Amino acid sequence: MADSNDSIPLAAEKIYLGGKEHRVRTRCGSVSVIVYGDQDKPALITYPDLALNHMSCFQGLFFCPEAASLLLHNFCIYHISPPGHELGAAPICESTSPHSVDDLAVQILEVLNFFGLGAVMCMGVTAGAYILTLFAMKYRVRVLGLILVSPLCRAPSWTEWFYNKVMSNLLYFYGMCGLLKEFLLQRYFSKEVRGTAEVPESDIVQACRRLLDERYASNVNRFLQAINGRPDISSGLKRLRCRTLIFVGDSSPFHSEALYMTSKLDRRFSALVEVQACGSMVTEEQPHAMLIPMEYFFMRYGLCRPCQLTDSPRSPLSPSCISPELLSPESMGLKLKPIKTRVSLEV
């Protein structure tokens, strides 16, 4: 177990599409952080779902020109990977103690301290959303706001617990086998993009399937066991004072969890966006659906979109695309349900 002060970045040759990888050593082992943008800007940290990293969980959002323009104009992005989930990760040593969700939350604190960051904006998907919410509850002064995609806040239901146990056994005995990948793809995506016998699966599902092949089963199983042993944190949600923006697809297996979490948050500081015909990973399946809500969310912090976005004639950030109800005072000025039709605009 490394000392928390022994934090060393990797050499600068580790470059990913303009981002630089740093390997930060923490008390719970090393963690990979990919940094994009100007580090003098406010920080936005991301944390992905089970078996994913920034390439497979946030690539769709950051490859969307309007989203990249909005986010990189306002933030320096710090993509944190769960232990053993980064690109090119080796198997974690079997003698390494398993991590709990509390360990992972503390690890985020150590990453922030390593980079000298104060209060940050957070964006997480499902398991990553839980870790970031837990972090916000433990270290309130370090979080400006939460953007949560298909989040969790309760302990696993019996159904989810059993489902996770089946996946854990598959990982242990068969590795990243075909059946295990199908379970994960059902967790991430709606049936509309997963395809059928007559309709091939979409490009984003095919890309995710290929990226899952790169994960070591033992590393994924460690994160899965931590998430399957998570405690219920819903009783503490009302005490959160950072603003929270929740996205969830109406086809997500965690749709009811997101609705429950929204009901437990202080309505003055939270908003819910439900996205039609979408699974859990809105960041990949419907990234355009996140643009207008995020822009209005950031406006509450005095942040703005660039004066010139992109030359895309379909930019959903055009003022003519803003629905009147977005300007209502209810719930931070955000009220979008459903949203899909509002971003499917013709020129």
Side-chain angles (χ1 to χ4, degrees), residues 19-37:
K20 182 186 300 183
E21 182 182 35
H22 299 257
R23 180 76 68 171
V24 181
R25 294 178 184 169
T26 73
R27 288 173 294 176
C28 297
S30 66
V31 60
S32 170
V33 184
I34 310 288
V35 182
Y36 288 86

Side-chain angles (χ1 to χ4, degrees), residues 27-67:
R27 288 173 294 176
C28 297
S30 66
V31 60
S32 170
V33 184
I34 310 288
V35 182
Y36 288 86
D38 182 355
Q39 289 185 253
D40 289 332
K41 292 183 177 180
L44 184 151
I45 66 171
T46 72
Y47 209 99
D49 192 17
L50 176 71
L52 303 177
N53 54 38
H54 76 286
M55 286 295 290
S56 46
C57 195
F58 299 102
Q59 180 174 260
L61 180 64
F62 283 89
F63 275 21
C64 172
E66 296 90 346

Side-chain angles (χ1 to χ4, degrees), residues 70-245:
L70 173 66
L71 294 170
L72 290 173
H73 175 72
N74 288 296
F75 299 102
C76 180
I77 313 299
Y78 296 78
H79 291 299
I80 303 175
S81 292
H85 283 55
E86 66 272 15
L87 295 169
I92 298 173
C93 181
E94 291 184 4
S95 62
T96 303
S97 300
H99 298 143
S100 67
V101 289
D102 287 292
D103 292 332
L104 297 176
V106 172
Q107 197 171 59
I108 292 173
L109 177 67
E110 294 184 71
V111 168
L112 267 56
N113 291 341
F114 170 73
F115 286 105
L117 302 176
V120 299
M121 190 72 67
C122 300
M123 180 187 294
V125 177
T126 311
Y130 178 93
I131 299 297
L132 291 178
T133 303
L134 179 62
F135 173 74
M137 294 173 66
K138 291 169 73 74
Y139 309 103
R140 297 182 196 176
V141 297
R142 304 303 291 272
V143 177
L144 286 172
L146 291 168
I147 302 172
L148 307 176
V149 182
S150 305
L152 309 169
C153 68
R154 290 185 284 193
S157 65
W158 282 110
T159 302
E160 185 195 345
W161 182 89
F162 178 77
Y163 193 87
N164 289 344
K165 279 294 183 182
V166 170
M167 288 201 295
S168 182
N169 286 333
L170 287 172
L171 286 164
Y172 184 82
F173 290 107
Y174 302 103
M176 294 296 289
C177 62
L179 181 58
L180 187 279
K181 284 187 281 189
E182 290 303 321
F183 281 165
L184 290 172
L185 293 173
Q186 290 175 24
R187 174 189 178 97
Y188 307 147
F189 298 110
S190 68
K191 61 183 179 182
E192 284 82 2
V193 296
R194 293 201 311 272
T196 63
E198 296 78 24
V199 180
E201 62 186 19
S202 70
D203 290 343
I204 58 170
V205 176
Q206 292 178 26
C208 187
R209 188 186 294 276
R210 289 192 296 270
L211 290 167
L212 287 174
D213 286 331
E214 301 175 7
R215 301 281 80 74
Y216 278 98
S218 57
N219 296 354
V220 174
N221 207 6
R222 284 175 171 270
F223 191 24
L224 176 59
Q225 289 176 3
I227 290 299
N228 210 30
R230 69 184 187 267
D232 188 324
I233 58 174
S234 55
S235 61
L237 293 176
K238 277 281 196 292
R239 296 193 296 273
L240 280 177
R241 284 298 175 264
C242 64
R243 297 186 183 278
T244 304
L245 176 59

Side-chain angles (χ1 to χ4, degrees), residues 269-316:
F269 304 109
S270 60
L272 171 69
V273 178
E274 294 179 77
V275 184
Q276 283 186 329
C278 187
S280 298
M281 204 152 41
V282 184
T283 50
E284 292 292 313
E285 195 171 340
Q286 297 274 4
H288 279 86
M290 300 179 66
L291 294 176
I292 293 175
M294 285 197 305
E295 183 181 9
Y296 275 80
F297 185 71
F298 295 149
M299 284 172 63
R300 293 287 175 151
Y301 296 89
L303 304 173
C304 62
R305 61 182 172 90
C307 294
Q308 294 182 343
L309 287 165
T310 71
D311 56 3
S312 169
R314 296 183 61 256
S315 172

